[in-house]
Amino acid sequence: MTDTASSSLSKYGGGAGAEPPRLATPSGGAKPFVARHPSVLIFIACLALFTIGVTILAEGFGIGVISTSFVKTLGKTLCLCLVALAMDLVWGYTGILSLGHMAFFGIGGYAIGMWLMYARTEIIVTTSLAQAPLPPTPQEISDGIASQIFGVVGASEFPPIWAVAHSLPLQLAAVVLVPGLLALVFGWLAFRSRVTGVYLSILTQAMTLALALYLFQNDSGLRGNNGLSGLQNLPGLGDVPQSTVSMWFLWASAAALGLGYIFCAWIVSGTFGSVLRAIRDDEARVRFLGYSVEGDKLFIFTVTAIIAGIAGALYYPQAGIINPAEIAPIASIYLAVWVAIGGRGRLYGAVIGAAFVSLLSTWFTGGQAPDINLGFYTIQWVDWWTILLGLSFVAVTLFAPKGIGGLFDLIENRRSPDRHGADLGPDPGAHRAREAEK
């Protein structure tokens, strides 16, 4: 077992017959959680300042310097940061390289998208049928909604999967329950069989591919390749401008990211977090010491799937459309690249990586990056961005494994130690050098 894993367990009395740790607030006297972990407070303060700044500069409530489309881009970026937190928790801290968490992200988007599309279409159909000589029956309204939604795939009836699409509370519950149950079942089957490493990554990628291929079919009940569209139009709020709606979603995304960061930091800062790191470093040794490795991995896998589903439910109303291509395995690979570039194993690194790559991708693929004319060839960044991203991932893996977040380590290491007024004399009995490091 590595030194990191050994120290993580021995610090909390890990050993044969030891009581496995439970998810609890770490001991530390009467100090609140944020006081014991100032980095969390710094992150929340930065997030709050960012949100306030965008609000002041945006069109919806501010002076109009930032366009509505860019506000939506920033809101979507916050959602991607939230799913990157989930990826860092399951990969950076637990060592499970999941290539399927963007599937849970997409499921959350489909769940809320079904209600948005149903409710918006219901208003259109009801308004249209109100002009008929006779009042429409509920069945006529239902048939009209089904024809409007599924006419594009040649159907006119609601599939069973849309049974509760009319209910916002039930669809919000589906945002949490469907990704959670899928992760619970998949994780239980995989972890009880002790599938690890690259084999587990392949299984998660296969799950994602199977789900995407199923959703591409027109008879899947989710409009096949057409997906769900018009999600940016909130039902009953047609008179509210998009500049205002975009700010609402930005605030919701920022709140979700802040709460998600606090929750993830709470998990990894306590005893349970030490066990997760030990599982990452030497799973066999942790199991030998009596810890429930499979149970802990299943818990993290399920919780992070739920976080990804919530992030997707906030992302796609800002994107306006969702289709099966959003769930393709390449999306989950991109997610792993974001976390690696930002620095896995540190929550703020995952956020930095997701925000940095997402905004840079928008700049390169949105036609804002100028093309480079080499005379014999013109580099068009729309075509070359994915290659640049892949090379960046390789470079980070080889030369900067700590990612962008590792820059904070360099800054921290340059600080002089607090010697508490003691000199570093050559007295081996005084342990002065050890005191200077505290």
Side-chain angles (χ1 to χ4, degrees), residues 91-118:
W91 180 35
Y93 284 91
T94 316
I96 303 172
L97 178 54
S98 170
L99 297 180
H101 266 58
M102 287 303 284
F104 305 129
F105 184 82
I107 290 174
Y110 268 106
I112 196 63
M114 291 167 65
W115 177 81
L116 287 170
M117 200 165 189
Y118 182 97

Side-chain angles (χ1 to χ4, degrees), residues 5 37 50 103 105 130 164 167 189 191 203 222 244 258 287-288 310 332 336 361 382 407:
H37 303 280
F50 167 80
F105 184 82
V164 296
S167 174
L189 292 174
F191 298 142
L203 280 180
L222 293 171
T244 301
R287 184 181 293 108
F288 173 77
I310 294 173
S332 295
S361 173
V382 174
L407 296 176

Side-chain angles (χ1 to χ4, degrees), residues 50-228:
F50 167 80
T51 306
I52 294 172
V54 174
T55 303
I56 294 174
L57 299 176
E59 295 178 352
F61 297 94
I63 60 179
V65 175
I66 299 179
S67 65
T68 298
S69 61
F70 191 63
V71 170
K72 289 185 177 181
T73 298
L74 294 177
K76 291 186 292 183
T77 300
L78 294 177
C79 297
L80 295 177
C81 291
L82 180 57
V83 72
L85 278 179
M87 183 64 179
D88 193 36
L89 197 60
V90 74
W91 180 35
Y93 284 91
T94 316
I96 303 172
L97 178 54
S98 170
L99 297 180
H101 266 58
M102 287 303 284
F104 305 129
F105 184 82
I107 290 174
Y110 268 106
I112 196 63
M114 291 167 65
W115 177 81
L116 287 170
M117 200 165 189
Y118 182 97
R120 180 173 57 86
T121 307
E122 183 181 25
I123 294 174
I124 297 173
V125 171
T126 302
T127 303
S128 177
L129 294 178
Q131 302 175 2
L134 296 176
T137 64
Q139 185 60 43
E140 289 177 335
I141 295 176
S142 178
D143 292 341
I145 297 173
S147 298
Q148 286 285 334
I149 294 178
F150 299 103
V152 68
V153 293
S156 59
E157 296 181 353
F158 279 110
I161 195 174
W162 286 71
V164 296
H166 63 281
S167 174
L168 177 59
L170 292 179
Q171 288 301 126
L172 289 177
V175 169
V176 175
L177 294 178
V178 176
L181 288 175
L182 178 60
L184 183 65
V185 173
F186 177 87
W188 183 78
L189 292 174
F191 298 142
R192 70 185 295 267
S193 301
R194 298 189 179 180
V195 180
T196 59
V198 65
Y199 301 104
L200 182 59
S201 300
I202 293 174
L203 280 180
T204 56
Q205 190 175 41
M207 175 197 69
T208 306
L209 179 61
L211 180 61
L213 292 177
Y214 171 74
L215 293 177
F216 269 115
Q217 302 178 24
N218 288 337
D219 58 357
S220 65
L222 293 171
R223 303 193 348 146
N225 188 45
N226 300 280
L228 307 180

